Amino acid sequence: MRVAFASEPAYPDRPNEDFIGATANAVVLLDGASIPPGVTSACSHSVRWYSHTLGSTLLAEMTQSAGPLPELLTQGIKHVTSLHDFTCDLTHGGSPSATVIMLRQAADHLDWLVLGDSTLILDTGTTEPLVICDDRLEQVAAPHRARLDSLRGGTPEHAEARREYVETLGQYRNRDGGFWVASTDPLAADQALIGTIPANQVHAAAVLTDGAADAVSRYRLITWRQLLDVLTQDGPAALIRRVREAERSDPHGERWPRSKTHDDATAANVIVHE
C-alpha cells in the first residue's frame, strides 16, 4: 500500500487528539474524544495520551501479528489500560476514549475494522464507493442535540449546553443500546464493525476522522466520490483546507449547528494498487 495523510488540530495552540500511523501494509486511525471544560475525569492522562498510546500500540501489533483485528484491538485496549489502572480511577465514565479504524493488507485481501464514528471509504471502482461508518453514536445523540443546536456557538450558553450534552452521552458509552468506542473496556472491540475484501477489488481507500469527513457528512461540500478524487488529485491537506474554509464561513454554527467551531481533522489516502 502507498499512504499519504494529513492531520491538523482544531486550533494551532491546542494538542491534536487524532492519531494516524501507517506501515507498508497497515493503517491505524484514532479520533480522541475531546472532554469539554467542566466535565470531570478521574483519569490524570490526556485524551491525546490515550489516542497516541493506543494508536502506536495497535500499529505495532498489526506489523507483528496476523491475528484477527478485533483480537488485536482487545489486546491493545488491555495494554493501555494496564499502563494507568493503578494510578487512575478507570471506573469513572470520563476516562479518555477514541474511535478506531484499522486497515491491513495481506497477500490477497484487505481486513478492516471500524469502531466509532470515524469513516472508512473503499473505492471498488463502482460509481459509488463503499462507505463504512459506525453510526450508533449519531443514533443515540440525535434526540439530545436540540438545545445545543439552537444556541449560537461561542456563547457561554452554548458551552454549558455542550458540557451537558457530553455528560449525557457518557451515560450511553460502551453499553448495550448505546455506542461503543475504545476506552478501558476491552469488550468494546467485539462491538466493532469488521470485514474482509479481496485486495484486487479495491483500488484505493480513505480513512477519515469526523473532522475531515464533515466535508461530506455535515457541510455537503462534495460527494464521497469527489472526496476520493480530492485526496488522489490534490492530497489530504487540500481536503482539510476545504473543511476549514467552511468552518470559518460559519463561526457561530448558524448555517451548520455543531458542538465545536473547529475539530481536529485527519485524512489518509491509501492506494492499494495502481
Side-chain angles (χ1 to χ4, degrees):
M1 298 192 303
R2 182 160 53 86
V3 183
F5 60 78
S7 187
E8 183 179 296
Y11 299 94
D13 59 344
R14 297 184 188 178
N16 189 342
E17 295 171 339
D18 290 353
F19 171 89
I20 179 73
T23 67
N25 63 354
V27 180
V28 175
L29 175 74
L30 279 78
D31 182 355
S34 299
I35 301 175
V39 175
T40 59
S41 172
C43 178
S44 62
H45 295 83
S46 69
V47 173
R48 175 184 168 86
W49 174 87
Y50 182 81
S51 63
H52 284 236
T53 303
L54 179 58
S56 58
T57 298
L58 294 176
L59 191 61
E61 288 179 345
M62 292 172 71
T63 61
Q64 297 167 8
S65 172
L69 297 184
E71 180 179 301
L72 299 186
L73 179 55
T74 296
Q75 294 171 0
I77 293 173
K78 286 181 177 178
H79 170 70
V80 177
T81 298
S82 73
L83 298 179
H84 65 140
D85 59 353
F86 292 108
T87 59
C88 304
D89 178 9
L90 302 187
T91 63
H92 190 278
S95 298
S97 64
T99 70
V100 179
I101 292 181
M102 302 167 70
L103 181 67
R104 179 179 63 193
Q105 182 175 13
D108 59 355
H109 64 275
L110 290 174
D111 298 321
W112 55 264
L113 176 151
V114 176
L115 181 66
D117 64 349
S118 290
T119 302
L120 169 66
I121 308 173
L122 300 178
D123 184 359
T124 58
T126 57
T127 302
E128 294 298 326
L130 178 61
V131 180
I132 304 150
C133 184
D134 181 352
D135 65 355
R136 284 172 288 189
L137 172 58
E138 179 58 30
Q139 292 178 14
V140 169
H144 302 284
R145 291 193 60 95
R147 179 169 179 265
L148 180 64
D149 288 348
S150 71
L151 296 170
R152 192 170 189 262
T155 63
E157 293 80 10
H158 186 272
E160 175 62 16
R162 183 186 173 215
R163 182 192 63 78
E164 294 175 355
Y165 172 72
V166 169
E167 289 184 334
T168 298
L169 292 186
Q171 301 171 21
Y172 296 91
R173 189 179 73 171
N174 286 0
R175 61 188 59 192
D176 292 335
F179 64 96
W180 297 83
V181 289
S183 183
T184 59
D185 184 358
L187 294 178
D190 296 331
Q191 301 293 328
L193 308 180
I194 58 173
T196 298
I197 187 170
N200 61 11
Q201 294 184 13
V202 180
H203 165 63
V207 292
L208 311 159
T209 60
D210 60 347
D214 276 348
V216 179
S217 58
R218 184 186 302 276
Y219 305 126
R220 312 293 183 189
L221 305 174
I222 49 178
T223 65
W224 292 117
R225 167 56 61 191
Q226 290 168 337
L227 183 147
L228 290 173
D229 293 341
V230 170
L231 292 179
T232 300
Q233 298 168 11
D234 304 320
L239 175 67
I240 295 174
R241 282 196 298 272
R242 291 198 184 191
V243 172
R244 294 290 183 248
E245 289 170 0
E247 291 169 342
R248 286 192 292 268
S249 74
D250 181 41
H252 302 295
E254 294 165 319
R255 179 178 180 184
W256 296 296
R258 54 198 189 273
S259 59
K260 297 176 286 186
T261 301
H262 303 288
D263 194 5
D264 297 341
T266 300
N269 187 42
V270 183
I271 302 301
V272 179
H273 64 82
E274 301 292 349

